[in-house]
Each structure stands twice: as C-alpha cells, then as structure tokens.
C-alpha cells in the first residue's frame, strides 16, 4: 500500500508504459466483479452505465470467456494465465478489442509473447520479485 505511484514511475523509467494507473482512469473487471454482477455482459453494462466513455477491460480465463467479453464490446481483454495453445486460439479470433497477456509473465517470457499478436503484456515480476540492494557503506 502506498507504493503504486512509485511502482508505476519505476516502470516508466525502465522503458515500459502503463496503459492504466488505477480504477479511476479505466475499469478492470475481474472474476469477483463478474460473479457479483451475474456475468460478463452485466458487468460491462454496469461499468458503461456508471461511467460512459471510460475504458473497460475484462480479465478472462478461457476462450469461452474471451468470446463473451468480445461480444460485450470491451476495449481490452486481459488473457489471464493463457498457455501457448490458448494464446494461438485467441490470436485467431477476429476482434475489435485489444489483448493484454497477464499471469505468470516473467521478463524471460516477454520476447516470445510479443510475437503472439498481443497489444499489452503485464507482469508483476517488475515490482513483486525485486530484492533490495544493500547500499550500506562501512568504514573501518
């Protein structure tokens, strides 16, 4: 808590780009939101009714959910933990929405993912798996 701005800034300093900062500039509809609203279409409709014009992104875990999100007219579909076969299937679907890959994305996987017709790649690896560097200086 309290580190979001510093983390987003660090990502930019490292040469990457944040396509959203928080829920104030774009919706990210996740599994709990979908369940609470009664489905992907209902969650998207609720978001659009509450804030017309705000970007709506939906996290999906299967090709079936991807199709539902696409039919709901979302702006971005987050493909969560899709394996190589699912990514291939997803890339073959005619779409209007942008695709984001997320879930277990490490820096090592980025170059192979960028070849998969993906618009955004997100990784927590940049901020979650960082180890502190000891910068202490001892003079004897």
């Amino acid at each position: 808590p309290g580190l979001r701005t510093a983390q987003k800034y660090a990502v930019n300093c490292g040469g990457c780009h944040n396509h959203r900062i928080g829920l104030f500039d774009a919706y990210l509809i996740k599994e709990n939101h979908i369940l609470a609203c009664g489905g992907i279409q209902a969650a998207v409709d609720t978001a659009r009714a509450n804030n017309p014009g705000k970007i709506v992104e939906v996290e999906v875990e299967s090709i079936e959910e991807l199709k539902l999100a696409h039919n709901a007219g979302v702006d971005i579909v987050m493909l969560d933990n899709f394996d190589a076969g699912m990514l291939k299937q997803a890339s073959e679907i005619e779409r209007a929405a942008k695709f984001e890959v997320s879930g277990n994305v490490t820096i090592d996987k980025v170059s192979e993912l960028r070849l998969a017709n993906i618009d955004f790649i997100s990784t927590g690896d940049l901020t979650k798996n960082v180890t502190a560097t000891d910068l202490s200086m001892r003079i004897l």
Side-chain angles (χ1 to χ4, degrees):
L3 294 177
R4 176 180 296 272
T5 304
Q7 290 172 333
K8 300 287 185 176
Y9 177 70
V11 166
N12 280 299
C13 288
C16 295
H17 172 74
N18 299 295
H19 69 278
R20 68 181 177 81
I21 303 299
L23 293 177
F24 62 87
D25 60 353
Y27 279 105
L28 175 54
I29 299 173
K30 297 178 75 83
E31 181 181 20
N32 286 340
H33 307 117
I34 293 167
L35 290 171
C37 288
I40 290 174
Q41 184 69 59
V44 171
D45 290 346
T46 300
R48 296 255 190 243
N50 287 333
N51 283 293
K54 187 181 273 193
I55 293 171
V56 176
E57 179 172 2
V58 173
E59 179 183 62
V60 301
E61 298 174 347
S62 69
I63 297 296
E64 181 180 319
E65 288 181 352
L66 166 59
K67 291 176 182 176
L68 291 172
H70 178 70
N71 290 338
V74 301
D75 301 297
I76 305 171
V77 181
M78 179 187 288
L79 310 173
D80 187 39
N81 291 311
F82 273 38
D83 62 28
M86 292 170 71
L87 281 176
K88 184 177 182 332
Q89 277 184 281
S91 69
E92 293 169 353
I93 294 172
E94 189 174 326
R95 61 187 168 104
K98 293 183 178 189
F99 280 179
E100 175 179 353
V101 174
S102 183
N104 296 316
V105 174
T106 61
I107 298 303
D108 298 334
K109 293 181 183 177
V110 169
S111 43
E112 72 183 62
L113 288 172
R114 67 185 185 98
L115 302 174
N117 194 23
I118 302 301
D119 301 290
F120 304 107
I121 300 171
S122 61
T123 178
D125 201 38
L126 295 171
T127 53
K128 289 191 299 189
N129 298 325
V130 175
T131 55
T133 301
D134 184 357
L135 297 175
S136 62
M137 182 172 41
R138 295 191 177 135
I139 301 172
L140 301 174

